[in-house]
Amino acid sequence: MSTLSIESLCLKEDDCTSSTKLRAMEDDFDTDLESDENEESNNEVSVPDVYLQACRLVGVVPVSYFLRNYDSTAMDLTHHGLGPLGCKALAIALVADMNINSLELGDNHIQAEGAKYLAEMLRANFTLKRLDLSNNYLRSTGAEHVTKVLLNNVSLKSVKLSGNGFTDDDAKYFADALLTNSRIKELDLSHNEFCGKGGEQLGQLLANNEGLEVLNLSWNHFRMKGAVALCAGLKVNMVLTHLDLSWNGFGNEGALAMGEALKFNNTLVHLNLNSNRITNEGVGMLCRGLEFNDTLQVLLLAYNTLTVEAALVLVNVVRNTPRTALEEINICNVRVNETFVHLLEVTCQEHPALEVQFGGVGGFVAKKPPKRVDPMKVIQDYLDQRKLRLWDFFRNIDKDGTMRVPVADFRKAVQQSSIPLDRYQIEELIQRLDRDRTGIVDYRGLADTRKQMMRDHRRQLRKVESRQKKEKQKSDRILKTFQNAVEAVTPHGSIVISPGGAREDSSGPRHFSATPLSSWHHIVMSNSSRYSVTNLSNGLVHLPGLGGASPYRPTSSSALRSYSQPNLLGGSARSSPGKSMSAQGVHSDPEMLHSKPSPTAFPPTRSRSALDAKPPAVKAKSKKAKKNKITKRKH
């Protein structure tokens, strides 16, 4: 049985009982034991006794469940209505407890005051590993108390703080606390009120923390700005394996940013994006990242506005990506068709571990009804193909030359011609040409109808171009915001592994490519203890190695070319002879400095003084010749 001294009853509070009150409380206990046992009980008291005394001190009713199960390693006190004072009594009993490593206090309304008592307890208790404070109305003050403990606590591995009313201002507390604490492996901040600024702070958390493996941020308010910031942090994160972002309203903007993050992240295994307002277009953006990702195993996309088209895209990505690790896709609210079922069967033959949860067979591909073509546009296209004028077309119908023809003759002439118009289109055209029901079609009305058709066509083209331009601007803006967020959350000197870059496998060490996050190149030590700088130039580059220098030609794949940076070798060629290359961000190579450069690799250059030496002489000579010419004319 774990024991603790009676002095542990006093947490550093103003209302702690004095020694006289403690002695008066001790007199209330039974004294039927021997005198030596009384002396021993004054020095050491069991956890239940301490808890009972603490309850009497603060004036609360003891929790019988705690008294019955105090020797258990897991203590579940959820829904017990402890309140702040009940939490204080419990904290007094747990100050020196060495047995309980899991404490669940969800839905006890302990508020910030109770969090303060628990924080005092955790400064002395190094046994607790899992702490659940969900739904306790901690608010900002409570968040501050909890995060102060996380700065120095060395035992906690899992912290659940769901449903405590945390806002954007509180996210900074968690980002600062977990910046240095890499012992927390699981953090639950779901059902809070984090928005855009909170997403930026938590993005910093993802980028800088080196220990967090499970993060639950479901049921918050991460929209475009917050979603992009979170994805930027995920892009450079190297430890997170499980991420829950369900019920946040990411939208297609967040899906686009997540796709960009998945191109680089190589640790995430489980991703939950349920109910995030993602459409078929957003799934397409997300799949762009899945094409490069080879670690994600579980992808949850249920309860989004998806159709069978999105389901087909997801399965096609798995089928066309041989190194994908996807084993489970959840789109349980999507009804699929026979084409999807057949495609899934073929894909499962290549990827036997794949499991797709869908909402049954019976769906269909939604097709928009074909838009009816303007009959006047059909006639104009017909005339353009044959290089005819509208007047020529009408003159063939108007045999009398009166510029007016009966409706019946016009209908018969159009039907007998090779113009691709059906009966309904002809009637539609006649109604537009004979609006007054006069039974006559004149050339002026036909010409006016053509003008109106051309105006409508140009207006429609402008609408389509404007819509496409706005969509492109929106995508570019999101990507720019994403890149700015990556630069903001990335520590100085960090690198991001390029999508599709080489990985180390059983065949031996390989060079890997690095995409810089700023305007200059970072130098990365590879597994073979050699430096690898990508995207410098297409020429031969010598880089220093521990076992001697050898030439290395950087790759120029399409995945790396899009992230190329300014040529550092070009800058080095312009540098002064006495200045080493290391001053420009590249370590100097002894062989490069002492070897004679080839004419092809380094073309000969001339100094500015040498280049400018000849033009003044030529200019002076021309002036002298002009003066002599003028003198000869005078003579």
Side-chain angles (χ1 to χ4, degrees):
M1 180 184 297
S2 59
T3 58
L4 60 154
S5 60
I6 198 69
E7 286 79 4
S8 64
L9 284 171
C10 291
L11 295 175
K12 299 177 181 179
E13 299 291 335
D14 298 336
D15 57 346
C16 287
T17 58
S18 61
S19 60
T20 56
K21 289 185 178 181
L22 288 175
R23 284 193 292 270
M25 191 65 64
E26 291 170 7
D27 295 339
D28 295 339
F29 289 92
D30 296 334
T31 57
D32 296 336
L33 303 177
E34 298 295 332
S35 59
D36 55 346
E37 294 179 356
N38 287 336
E39 293 177 0
E40 183 179 357
S41 65
N42 288 333
N43 295 328
E44 294 182 353
V45 183
S46 63
V47 173
D49 293 337
V50 174
Y51 178 63
L52 289 173
Q53 294 183 30
C55 289
R56 292 173 185 174
L57 286 173
V58 299
V60 295
V61 177
V63 178
S64 60
Y65 181 86
F66 179 80
L67 297 174
R68 294 194 307 269
N69 300 278
Y70 72 93
D71 56 346
S72 176
T73 57
M75 181 61 61
D76 187 358
L77 296 177
T78 307
H79 312 302
H80 276 76
L82 295 178
L85 296 181
C87 186
K88 179 179 180 180
L90 182 65
I92 293 174
L94 295 178
V95 166
D97 179 79
M98 303 295 292
N99 191 40
I100 299 175
N101 57 37
S102 177
L103 179 61
E104 298 183 17
L105 297 176
D107 192 23
N108 276 285
H109 209 280
I110 67 174
Q111 303 179 24
E113 183 182 355
K116 181 179 180 182
Y117 300 137
L118 289 175
E120 292 288 344
M121 179 267 293
L122 289 172
R123 289 190 176 94
N125 185 297
F126 299 102
T127 306
L128 276 178
K129 296 181 179 180
R130 291 176 291 276
L131 179 62
D132 185 358
L133 298 179
S134 302
N135 304 308
N136 274 296
Y137 301 92
L138 300 185
R139 307 293 182 185
S140 298
T141 307
E144 188 174 0
H145 290 317
V146 173
T147 51
K148 283 182 179 179
V149 175
L150 296 181
L151 287 171
N152 302 315
N153 187 275
V154 297
S155 62
L156 283 176
K157 304 296 182 184
S158 173
V159 180
K160 296 183 179 181
L161 298 167
S162 174
N164 279 295
F166 298 146
T167 60
D168 285 344
D169 296 334
D170 308 326
K172 183 173 177 55
Y173 296 140
F174 295 99
D176 294 341
L178 296 179
L179 177 64
T180 56
N181 188 338
S182 59
R183 294 170 294 275
I184 298 292
K185 303 300 181 183
E186 180 181 358
L187 179 62
D188 185 355
L189 293 175
S190 60
H191 290 83
N192 283 293
E193 301 173 8
F194 296 122
C195 299
K197 293 182 179 179
E200 294 178 1
Q201 295 295 336
L202 295 176
Q204 293 275 358
L205 185 153
L206 285 175
N208 298 317
N209 183 271
E210 298 179 354
L212 194 62
E213 298 177 357
V214 180
L215 178 60
N216 188 349
L217 295 175
S218 61
W219 289 94
N220 279 283
H221 309 290
F222 298 122
R223 302 293 188 264
M224 175 181 168
K225 188 176 180 181
V228 170
L230 281 173
C231 295
L234 179 64
K235 176 180 179 180
V236 298
N237 184 276
M238 301 177 66
V239 291
L240 193 71
T241 59
H242 289 68
L243 179 61
D244 189 349
L245 294 170
S246 58
W247 299 92
N248 268 294
F250 258 39
N252 292 340
E253 297 85 359
L256 173 61
M258 182 60 69
E260 291 295 316
L262 291 177
K263 291 180 181 179
F264 296 86
N265 183 281
N266 59 356
T267 59
L268 195 65
V269 175
H270 187 283
L271 177 61
N272 189 343
L273 292 175
N274 289 341
S275 188
N276 266 290
R277 304 178 185 175
I278 299 175
T279 64
N280 295 344
E281 181 183 359
V283 169
M285 298 173 181
L286 185 64
C287 288
R288 297 175 189 172
L290 295 177
E291 293 175 354
F292 296 97
N293 188 279
D294 59 355
T295 58
L296 188 66
Q297 298 178 6
V298 179
L299 177 61
L300 307 182
L301 289 169
Y303 308 113
N304 286 289
T305 54
L306 307 180
T307 62
V308 67
E309 290 97 327
L312 290 169
V313 171
L314 288 168
V315 176
N316 271 317
V317 167
V318 178
R319 182 185 180 186
N320 299 328
T321 309
R323 62 194 187 98
T324 183
L326 273 174
E327 298 178 356
E328 179 182 349
I329 300 176
N330 190 336
I331 47 174
C332 62
N333 63 308
V334 179
R335 293 180 63 85
V336 300
N337 56 10
E338 295 294 340
T339 304
F340 173 85
V341 174
H342 176 70
L343 178 63
L344 181 60
E345 291 176 355
V346 174
T347 306
C348 288
Q349 293 177 1
E350 303 174 2
H351 303 272
L354 179 64
E355 179 183 355
V356 180
Q357 301 179 21
F358 51 87
V361 181
F364 58 91
V365 177
K367 294 183 179 179
K368 294 182 179 179
K371 187 177 180 180
R372 294 186 64 85
V373 183
D374 192 333
M376 194 66 233
K377 179 73 168 54
V378 176
I379 294 177
Q380 184 62 44
D381 293 340
Y382 173 83
L383 297 177
D384 293 340
Q385 291 176 1
R386 287 159 177 77
K387 297 181 179 180
L388 298 175
R389 298 175 299 175
L390 185 63
W391 163 244
D392 299 331
F393 167 75
F394 192 83
R395 186 174 56 183
N396 291 332
I397 304 175
D398 183 16
K399 303 300 182 180
D400 300 333
T402 60
M403 305 293 289
R404 301 176 58 168
V405 295
V407 170
D409 294 345
F410 182 84
R411 182 187 295 109
K412 182 178 180 180
V414 174
Q415 290 175 349
Q416 292 177 353
S417 67
S418 58
I419 300 176
L421 288 175
D422 56 25
R423 184 180 61 181
Y424 300 101
Q425 289 177 313
I426 295 175
E427 294 300 326
E428 178 185 353
L429 179 60
I430 291 176
Q431 290 179 5
R432 292 165 59 181
L433 296 175
D434 185 20
R435 296 183 179 180
D436 298 334
R437 303 290 182 177
T438 60
I440 300 296
V441 176
D442 61 349
Y443 177 76
R444 183 185 296 271
L446 185 63
D448 293 343
T449 303
R450 184 183 63 172
K451 291 181 181 179
Q452 183 64 36
M453 177 272 299
M454 296 178 67
R455 284 195 295 266
D456 295 341
H457 183 65
R458 286 194 294 266
R459 187 183 303 111
Q460 187 67 24
L461 289 178
R462 286 195 297 268
K463 287 183 179 180
V464 173
E465 293 175 357
S466 177
R467 181 170 64 252
Q468 293 176 349
K469 184 178 179 181
K470 288 181 180 179
E471 291 177 355
K472 186 178 183 303
Q473 290 177 349
K474 187 177 182 180
S475 299
D476 294 343
R477 184 171 65 252
I478 295 171
L479 291 176
K480 184 178 180 180
T481 304
F482 178 79
Q483 295 298 335
N484 293 337
V486 170
E487 294 178 2
V489 302
T490 304
H492 183 70
S494 298
I495 63 166
V496 177
I497 303 303
S498 172
R503 297 180 181 274
E504 181 179 357
D505 54 12
S506 58
S507 62
R510 296 181 181 178
H511 290 282
F512 67 92
S513 303
T515 300
L517 297 174
S518 60
S519 60
W520 49 275
H521 284 268
H522 298 277
I523 299 184
V524 187
M525 179 70 77
S526 67
N527 295 329
S528 58
S529 301
R530 299 190 58 80
Y531 288 93
S532 172
V533 182
T534 60
N535 300 330
L536 291 179
S537 70
N538 294 327
L540 194 63
V541 183
H542 294 270
L543 296 172
L546 297 178
S550 61
Y552 168 67
R553 186 181 298 274
T555 59
S556 60
S557 63
S558 59
L560 296 175
R561 193 178 299 113
S562 60
Y563 296 94
S564 61
Q565 300 294 333
N567 192 344
L568 296 184
L569 292 183
S572 62
R574 292 190 296 269
S575 60
S576 60
K579 189 175 181 180
S580 64
M581 295 179 66
S582 60
Q584 300 186 23
V586 180
H587 293 278
S588 59
D589 188 351
E591 292 186 5
M592 183 180 291
L593 294 178
H594 295 291
S595 62
K596 185 178 179 180
S598 62
T600 58
F602 295 93
T605 57
R606 302 177 63 182
S607 62
R608 184 170 296 277
S609 58
L611 293 174
D612 297 337
K614 189 175 180 180
V618 174
K619 188 175 182 180
K621 184 177 179 180
S622 60
K623 287 183 178 180
K624 186 176 180 180
K626 184 177 181 181
K627 185 177 180 181
N628 294 335
K629 187 176 181 180
I630 295 174
T631 305
K632 290 180 180 180
R633 287 181 179 179
K634 289 182 178 180
H635 292 288

